[in-house]
Amino acid sequence: MIQGRRRLGDLLVDAKVITEEQLQDALARKESGERLGDVLIRDHLVTEQTLIEVLEFQLGIPHVSLGQFPIDPDIIQLVPKEIAKRYLLVPLRKEKNKLFIAMADPMDYFAIEEVRMLTGFKVEPCIATKQDIYKTISKYYELQATMDAAMSDLIGDSEDENPDIVADDSPIVVLVNQIISDAVVQGASDIHFDPQDAEFRIRFRIDGVLKTERSLPKSMQNMVIARIKIMGNLNITENRLPQDGRIQIQAQMRAIDLRLSTLPTIYGEKVVMRVLDTKNAQISIEKLGLSQENLTRFQQLIVKPNGIVLITGPTGSGKSSTLSATLNSINNDGLNIITVEDPVEYQLEGVNQIQVKEEIGLTFATGLRSILRQDPDIVMVGEIRDTDTAQIATRASLTGHLVLSTLHTNSAIESIARLKDMGVEPYLITASLEGVVAQRLVRKVCRDCSTDREVTATELAVLREHQLTAMTMKSGRGCSACNNTGYKGRMAIHEVLAINEDMRTAILENKNRSALLTIAANSGFKTLMIDGLEKAIAGSTTVEEILRVVAD
């Protein structure tokens, strides 16, 4: 039970987590209605886990992980949804005249008093992370209620089998919106609607890993898919052929773009939504996670007056974000920048962007030919997919244009062989190619539960194999903030290959991959594996994660 009415800032200063000066500075910058804890977390002065530990130790308030706590839906009904969302709290259980509630801020005495007066119970607060509470409110107050309403709507309309999937207040419409909102809150990059034999499964890809969020009754499958198709302006009657579309919505007070793809399967249409947060289009290249050495090398590549710079990696490796950040960094009024993309993922201010439409003959190659008649300074081709596009891009770079593009290869060195496979002559590659950036996304160690530990024998062997060493590593213990995975968020690892004269000579002589790699290493080139291991040594990720993502 809370003893007295001590303030959070005083507790943190007493626990020597922050200084008095840091506290006063945070209080001065705190906006109206903003919690002190949120300011401190935003400025990286404390982690949410540290706040929890201080409150748990100093005030004796127990910490609860809501993801592992069985919650009775009847108990949830004791506190209205509006109160739960306003104060970020969730009722857990009752015991005689006591009601135990999980709170993001257990020192919010107004919230405790309001719940006491509303329910008539003596309130016993517990502390939980904001993320845990958001997810629990969504699951028990919103999504479950919406599912119940949708099922009732389905049963009520069973005679004509035509439930409403258009009206804003329709249960199916609300259900789909809620699923999308939940995905955004949890930081999902993709939403999968997977038809199965006996159920309709919803999965989120979070930090690169798919997890099942919930399963819906099979009877809701067709309605949900039909609603999604309407949102994406797709043909609702066509279920035999794949379709692609785009949805623009507002979620969590920001603009979100959804790339939509449908695919016929034996159990019905599978739908995947790629979640594109428009704030990612505004990031700078300094925030891409490049090491200082790679950042310098990359900045030198993108200010060249002509030539080709390629970004390579598999689908979902962050190539589009890197290209957007690159264009943002070099864009100014004195440049005519034109792009041809499929699809246009991020809309960039001051950049002329073309959407590929193959059904009417507007391909990468035809779009690129037209761009070259528009007096461009910089050309960005979304992807070099075929010989025609590769050869036009090469010749464009030779006529005074800087060409940025992507290529699907596993490493920077392999991009050279890929261009040769596409029919680009070695002498054209050496004359046009200026550099290649290969990248992957790896999970970051959770900041809230990060802990130091000794390097294992396996990790030490991997490090020594790449002429690296370390005595300790960081790893996540697992907490509610990271869904007990030990990882939260993702970062990029890179290799940046600048084509120098020795490399050009080797390409002309058709040297093999091993010879090219040796020449690159002599000029300071670091592979994805080495860049990743160095970031693991720095505590940003783990050796295990690097080995999972990078095949050496």
Side-chain angles (χ1 to χ4, degrees):
M1 185 66 189
I2 297 175
Q3 302 297 324
R5 292 200 174 207
R6 301 192 63 194
R7 297 180 302 174
L8 174 62
D10 295 333
L11 291 174
L12 293 172
V13 171
D14 290 347
K16 295 182 169 43
V17 173
I18 60 173
T19 64
E20 181 66 34
E21 291 74 18
Q22 288 174 324
L23 170 60
Q24 296 305 322
D25 182 55
L27 288 171
R29 287 182 288 102
K30 186 168 74 76
E31 298 177 5
S32 176
E34 191 177 22
R35 290 183 170 91
L36 173 64
D38 293 338
V39 177
L40 296 172
I41 292 172
R42 185 187 65 210
D43 292 346
H44 303 294
L45 293 173
V46 300
T47 65
E48 191 168 13
Q49 189 65 27
T50 300
L51 286 180
I52 290 174
E53 289 172 357
V54 168
L55 293 172
E56 196 170 15
F57 178 75
Q58 297 277 17
L59 301 179
I61 303 174
H63 167 231
V64 61
S65 179
L66 297 180
Q68 300 173 342
F69 193 95
I71 298 177
D72 185 347
D74 292 334
I75 297 294
I76 287 287
Q77 302 307 316
L78 292 174
V79 176
K81 179 177 72 173
E82 293 73 21
I83 299 296
K85 294 181 73 172
R86 185 191 310 162
Y87 295 116
L88 284 183
L89 57 85
V90 174
L92 299 175
R93 62 185 177 88
K94 61 181 180 180
E95 187 178 292
K96 296 182 180 178
N97 68 330
K98 294 181 181 179
L99 179 64
F100 292 82
I101 61 172
M103 306 178 68
D105 181 7
M107 302 181 72
D108 189 340
Y109 303 104
F110 294 105
I112 292 172
E113 184 63 17
E114 185 157 350
V115 172
R116 184 192 67 78
M117 293 181 64
L118 185 70
T119 63
F121 287 96
K122 181 181 178 182
V123 175
E124 291 286 346
C126 304
I127 185 169
T129 64
K130 289 176 67 174
Q131 186 77 357
D132 254 5
I133 291 178
Y134 279 131
K135 287 162 62 176
T136 305
I137 288 174
S138 172
K139 179 177 180 180
Y140 288 96
Y141 279 105
E142 298 176 338
L143 196 53
Q144 189 59 50
T146 305
M147 280 185 58
D148 293 342
M151 286 302 297
S152 298
D153 194 40
L154 179 62
I155 294 170
D157 290 327
S158 58
E159 291 184 2
D160 58 12
E161 297 184 350
N162 189 32
D164 192 353
I165 55 173
V166 179
D168 289 344
D169 58 351
S170 163
I172 288 295
V173 173
V174 174
L175 174 63
V176 172
N177 291 343
Q178 187 60 49
I179 290 171
I180 295 172
S181 180
D182 285 354
V184 173
V185 167
Q186 295 188 45
S189 60
D190 301 88
I191 310 170
H192 288 240
F193 296 83
D194 290 331
Q196 302 295 310
D197 184 24
E199 63 181 9
F200 186 46
R201 191 166 56 176
I202 312 296
R203 294 192 293 170
F204 294 166
R205 187 178 294 280
I206 300 174
D207 294 338
V209 179
L210 272 174
K211 72 177 188 73
T212 299
E213 180 64 16
R214 65 172 49 238
S215 294
L216 302 180
K218 185 71 173 177
S219 56
M220 299 178 69
Q221 175 177 311
N222 291 339
M223 291 188 301
V224 170
I225 291 175
R227 172 57 194 168
I228 292 171
K229 283 184 170 182
I230 289 174
M231 294 173 70
N233 293 318
L234 303 184
N235 184 351
I236 195 172
T237 62
E238 177 58 75
N239 55 20
R240 300 166 301 168
L241 295 173
Q243 297 186 68
D244 295 315
R246 188 171 194 146
I247 303 170
Q248 292 183 315
I249 62 168
Q250 287 285 329
Q252 301 303 308
M253 307 298 291
R254 61 183 189 265
I256 301 292
D257 280 355
L258 301 170
R259 253 174 55 190
L260 184 61
S261 173
T262 71
L263 184 70
T265 73
I266 58 173
Y267 295 125
E269 287 183 278
K270 173 182 171 65
V271 177
V272 175
M273 290 180 175
R274 168 67 56 88
V275 182
L276 301 171
D277 193 340
T278 53
K279 72 177 182 181
N280 291 337
Q282 305 303 321
I283 61 174
S284 64
I285 58 173
E286 289 79 13
K287 295 183 178 179
L288 290 175
L290 288 153
S291 67
Q292 189 56 53
E293 186 179 349
N294 280 339
L295 176 60
T296 301
R297 191 172 289 149
F298 184 53
Q299 288 174 325
Q300 291 169 348
L301 290 176
I302 61 177
V303 295
K304 289 183 179 291
N306 53 59
I308 297 178
V309 177
L310 296 174
I311 314 294
T312 76
T315 302
S317 59
K319 299 188 298 296
S320 296
S321 296
T322 298
L323 280 176
S324 296
T326 303
L327 292 177
N328 276 328
S329 69
I330 59 181
N331 185 22
N332 61 63
D333 288 342
L335 292 175
N336 178 21
I337 302 176
I338 308 179
T339 76
V340 53
E341 306 170 64
D342 183 26
V344 175
E345 293 191 353
Y346 299 112
Q347 297 177 11
L348 305 173
E349 183 97 20
V351 176
N352 306 286
Q353 296 174 271
I354 301 171
Q355 168 71 56
V356 165
K357 295 180 180 177
E358 293 190 357
E359 64 273 13
I360 61 172
L362 180 54
T363 64
F364 279 116
T366 56
L368 187 49
R369 285 193 184 95
S370 299
I371 286 174
L372 297 178
R373 294 193 289 270
Q374 290 284 318
D375 185 32
D377 296 296
I378 297 172
V379 177
M380 194 273 271
V381 183
E383 183 184 345
I384 295 179
R385 294 178 180 173
D386 52 45
T387 300
D388 204 9
T389 307
Q391 291 180 342
I392 298 170
T394 301
R395 286 179 168 79
S397 71
L398 295 174
T399 55
H401 306 96
L402 178 63
V403 178
L404 306 175
S405 190
T406 69
L407 202 61
H408 283 279
T409 61
N410 291 324
S411 69
I413 295 290
E414 289 176 24
S415 299
I416 296 168
R418 178 75 178 122
L419 289 173
K420 290 180 180 177
D421 289 343
M422 286 183 167
V424 182
E425 296 293 337
Y427 75 89
L428 288 177
I429 296 175
T430 59
S432 61
L433 188 62
E434 291 293 340
V436 185
V437 178
Q439 67 180 61
R440 298 287 189 281
L441 293 179
V442 297
R443 293 180 293 174
K444 295 192 294 185
V445 173
C446 176
R447 204 164 60 93
D448 284 352
C449 62
S450 172
T451 183
D452 290 313
R453 58 167 177 79
E454 290 186 1
V455 176
T456 66
T458 302
E459 290 170 335
L460 194 58
V462 172
L463 292 173
R464 284 176 175 168
E465 183 183 346
H466 295 86
Q467 289 76 53
L468 298 170
T469 186
M471 299 300 293
T472 62
M473 288 278 185
K474 286 191 180 295
S475 61
R477 298 186 304 269
C479 64
S480 54
C482 61
N483 288 319
N484 294 303
T485 63
Y487 298 98
K488 186 175 182 182
R490 287 194 291 176
M491 62 183 292
I493 58 174
H494 306 85
E495 55 186 33
V496 181
L497 175 66
I499 307 297
N500 57 22
E501 289 308 312
D502 289 341
M503 184 68 69
R504 295 183 201 281
T505 302
I507 294 171
L508 280 173
E509 295 175 354
N510 279 316
K511 297 282 189 180
N512 61 24
R513 179 182 181 276
S514 178
L516 294 176
L517 194 55
T518 300
I519 293 170
N522 290 336
S523 62
F525 172 78
K526 292 181 179 178
T527 63
L528 285 167
M529 177 65 78
I530 292 177
D531 187 54
L533 292 177
E534 288 180 345
K535 287 173 178 174
I537 292 172
S540 300
T541 184
T542 65
V543 173
E544 179 185 21
E545 180 67 3
I546 299 302
L547 294 175
R548 182 184 73 86
V549 173
V550 181
D552 191 20

